[in-house]
Amino acid sequence: MSDLRVGVVGLGIGQMHLLSWIGVEGASVALIADVDEQRREKATHDWKVPAVDSLDALLAAGIDVVDLCTPPSMHEAQIEQCLAAGVHVICEKPL
């Protein structure tokens, strides 16, 4: 069985989530996303993981699990978008 491909969205607190995913057997971070170009480029350099600029682009890449680390006001719509795309969702804070 291959690892679940995880995408982390939001690279503020998402940096801590990236660190946590290192220890998860059966899953690996395949892609990260952030709307801020500088944050995205720094995270790509630091973590050696490709980055995209949106949740849409991340979902289009065929991710299995999305780890949402975005502002809480965005969570409900993003969770619905992920579920509609048929992917599992982990949300950094409850709605």
Side-chain angles (χ1 to χ4, degrees):
M1 182 172 111
S2 61
D3 282 357
L4 290 172
R5 294 173 29 91
V6 177
V8 177
V9 182
L11 299 172
I13 193 64
Q15 298 279 335
M16 293 302 294
H17 288 234
L18 285 166
L19 182 61
S20 296
W21 281 109
I22 292 171
V24 177
E25 189 175 329
S28 60
V29 176
L31 199 58
I32 54 181
D34 198 287
V35 296
D36 182 274
E37 184 177 4
Q38 288 182 323
R39 187 182 293 179
R40 201 170 54 242
E41 288 177 2
K42 181 175 181 350
T44 295
H45 177 266
D46 292 347
W47 296 97
K48 310 295 187 256
V49 175
V52 295
D53 64 356
S54 68
L55 176 58
D56 289 332
L58 190 135
L59 291 171
I63 293 298
D64 301 307
V65 179
V66 173
D67 184 351
L68 288 175
C69 302
T70 54
S73 64
M74 301 173 75
H75 288 172
E76 184 175 8
Q78 289 179 328
I79 289 168
E80 289 175 353
Q81 182 180 358
C82 292
L83 293 175
V87 300
H88 300 279
V89 184
I90 295 171
C91 189
E92 188 257 335
K93 290 182 182 171
L95 297 175

